[in-house]
Amino acid sequence: MRDVNRTIDAVWRLEAPRIIAGLARLVNDVGLAEELAQDALVAALEQWPVQGVPDNPGAWLMSVAKRRGIDRIRREQTFARKVEEVGQALEAAAEMPEPDEIADDLLRLVFTACHPVLSRQARVALTLRMLGGLSTDEIARAFLVPEATVAQRIVRAKKTLSASGVPFEAPQGPERAARLDSVLEVVYLVFNEGYVATAGSDWLRVDLCQEALRLGRILAELAPREPEVQGLVALMEIQASRTRARVGKDGAPVPLPEQDRGLWDRLLISRGFAALLRAQEIGAPPGPYVLQAAIAACHAQAASAEDTDWQQIAGLYELLVRTEPSPVVQVNRAFALGMAFGPRRGLDVLDALSDEPSMTNYHLLSSVRGDLLARLGESADAAREFTRAAALTRNEAERDVLEKRAAELS
């Protein structure tokens, strides 16, 4: 039973976005599409432990969801006019090509969920829920806000889209440009959740990284003259190049300085450099994604950890903090300053964040502080910071690493 449930969870993580997107194209309502997909998940939880996992679990879930959709529409008298139109569509094949510039249901789902009738926070939360299959807890961790806040945003967003009659379609012209920032943020956060999972036993969720990278590449083809689109793709390509080196044979996370750079994917790095060059050639002032890609490129260019140009990275973080003055960026800047100019410089930046409410339970602040204190030789204080960071993280693999560092310094 436990193995089947794990299989169902893995299948749901992988297939849910595609199922929701495919259903949303057919019923033209993202809220209803998610409900139908959830109904199919419940059916799987009931039937698979008894009947076994089907050969094509994704197709099974889609088929059940379509049948539930037909039943749902027929039950709703107010949808009587739609029974013939939508019912026939649901009974047809799941893959029904439509003439559309964005021939991709998942990307169409992102643009629909990023409609301007929603607030920025609601757009991102809803899309992460539907596209990445992330739980409200995982989204809350990404935003550093309470889980209840995210849950409310998602519920209200779905109701707003439904009440406003927002169509499931790809915007064109100025409307597409207006939604692009939110779309990029969604893709970025999905990639980050895959790159460093906020919870669970896995350090990486490669499926999310690959999905975000795929969507980013499609966006880059659609908007070749948008520097931030190219910058985001460059960032994801370079970061994804380290995947094989980021986890040891024992499954434990491997910090960047200790990674075997021979395992880095040189093809992805070259693709990232090419995208970064395209962004720079456009000539616009660098935005946050271009700057982060430039930082990643500095690491990728270094033959070894000792060859890393930390002064250049610190300078790029100075630009980034002006462009995106968030506490999270300041934490990363503190680490870069500590590496470039000594631990005390970094600790001064972290001390300035002590009264920032969003940093109260941010485990990376304690982790970075612990690292800088250890480099100063203040082992006892460093151990306390690593212990605190371990207590705050929800990722089991990361917790083990932090606890091990604390023990070594105690």
Side-chain angles (χ1 to χ4, degrees):
M1 175 71 75
R2 186 176 301 135
D3 289 343
V4 172
N5 286 339
R6 278 201 295 263
T7 299
I8 293 173
D9 181 66
V11 169
W12 178 252
R13 288 278 192 178
L14 181 64
E15 299 291 346
R18 295 177 178 84
I19 293 169
I20 294 171
L23 291 168
R25 169 166 52 80
L26 297 173
V27 301
N28 206 28
D29 184 328
V30 292
L32 175 58
E34 188 187 25
E35 289 180 25
L36 296 173
Q38 291 284 350
D39 287 345
L41 174 62
V42 172
L45 290 168
E46 293 172 347
Q47 298 178 35
W48 291 6
V50 177
Q51 301 175 2
V53 179
D55 292 336
N56 191 335
W60 189 98
L61 289 168
M62 176 62 87
S63 178
V64 170
K66 288 194 298 179
R67 290 200 300 270
R68 298 294 172 92
I70 294 170
D71 294 341
R72 170 73 173 267
I73 291 172
R74 287 173 176 164
R75 283 198 306 268
E76 296 289 344
Q77 294 301 314
T78 56
F79 290 157
R81 188 171 55 84
K82 291 186 177 181
V83 170
E84 183 176 357
E85 301 172 6
V86 182
Q88 290 176 357
L90 287 169
E91 288 172 337
E95 295 298 330
M96 295 178 60
E98 294 183 356
D100 196 293
E101 289 188 17
I102 303 180
D104 188 287
D105 284 343
L106 288 172
L107 197 59
R108 193 180 294 118
L109 175 62
V110 176
F111 273 108
T112 301
C114 290
H115 195 280
V117 297
L118 303 178
S119 68
R120 170 182 170 274
Q121 294 90 341
R123 297 173 202 168
V124 177
L126 179 63
T127 310
L128 282 172
R129 178 83 170 103
M130 292 186 170
L131 174 72
L134 306 189
S135 67
T136 53
D137 175 59
E138 289 168 331
I139 300 170
R141 296 281 295 181
F143 282 121
L144 305 180
V145 296
E147 183 178 353
T149 300
V150 172
Q152 290 173 357
R153 287 175 184 171
I154 292 172
V155 171
R156 290 172 183 167
K158 289 190 288 188
K159 288 181 178 178
T160 299
L161 287 177
S162 181
S164 302
V166 174
F168 185 70
E169 63 182 10
Q172 303 297 324
E175 188 180 356
R176 174 179 290 180
R179 295 195 217 173
L180 189 58
D181 286 348
S182 290
V183 171
L184 292 179
E185 185 173 13
V186 167
V187 174
Y188 177 61
L189 288 174
V190 171
F191 181 85
N192 274 353
E193 179 58 32
Y195 196 68
V196 181
T198 56
S201 58
D202 294 329
W203 176 240
L204 288 169
R205 292 172 57 183
V206 178
D207 56 330
L208 288 183
C209 289
Q210 291 176 340
E211 193 60 56
L213 189 51
R214 186 181 71 85
L215 291 171
R217 289 168 178 166
I218 294 172
L219 276 173
E221 292 178 1
L222 291 168
R225 298 298 298 171
E226 291 288 344
E228 280 294 84
V229 173
Q230 301 295 335
L232 177 57
V233 171
L235 173 61
M236 293 191 297
E237 299 275 15
I238 297 172
Q239 297 287 70
S241 72
R242 305 177 195 150
T243 299
R244 288 185 299 168
R246 295 187 66 241
V247 179
K249 293 181 179 179
D250 58 353
V254 180
L256 179 61
E258 300 173 19
Q259 290 176 14
D260 179 357
R261 300 191 176 210
L263 295 176
W264 289 3
D265 190 322
R266 307 314 299 184
L267 175 60
L268 289 179
I269 290 175
S270 64
R271 290 178 65 118
F273 284 177
L276 181 58
L277 180 60
R278 288 194 295 271
Q280 294 170 340
E281 287 176 343
I282 294 171
Y289 296 119
V290 172
L291 289 170
Q292 290 179 77
I295 292 169
C298 287
H299 288 294
Q301 287 174 327
S304 65
E306 293 73 25
D307 294 332
T308 304
D309 189 344
W310 283 105
Q311 290 192 22
Q312 183 180 3
I313 291 174
L316 289 168
Y317 269 116
E318 293 292 341
L319 295 175
L320 181 58
V321 81
R322 295 176 203 166
T323 306
E324 190 176 330
S326 75
V328 173
V329 174
Q330 288 283 21
V331 171
N332 291 324
R333 170 176 169 257
F335 183 80
L337 286 171
M339 295 298 292
F341 306 109
R344 184 56 59 189
R345 284 283 298 275
L347 288 169
D348 288 342
V349 174
L350 295 182
D351 290 342
L353 297 173
S354 59
D355 295 329
E356 177 62 44
S358 64
M359 292 286 101
T360 302
N361 295 316
Y362 187 54
H363 76 282
L364 290 181
L365 186 146
S366 294
S367 177
V368 171
R369 188 189 295 277
D371 190 89
L372 295 175
L373 287 169
R375 292 182 60 223
L376 279 176
E378 299 180 15
S379 300
D381 289 340
R384 281 191 290 270
E385 292 293 341
F386 285 128
T387 299
R388 173 176 167 76
L392 290 174
T393 184
R394 298 286 297 279
N395 185 280
E396 296 172 15
E398 185 176 29
R399 183 184 301 119
D400 290 343
V401 170
L402 291 168
E403 288 177 345
K404 181 179 179 180
R405 294 204 65 184
E408 291 172 348
L409 292 166
S410 297

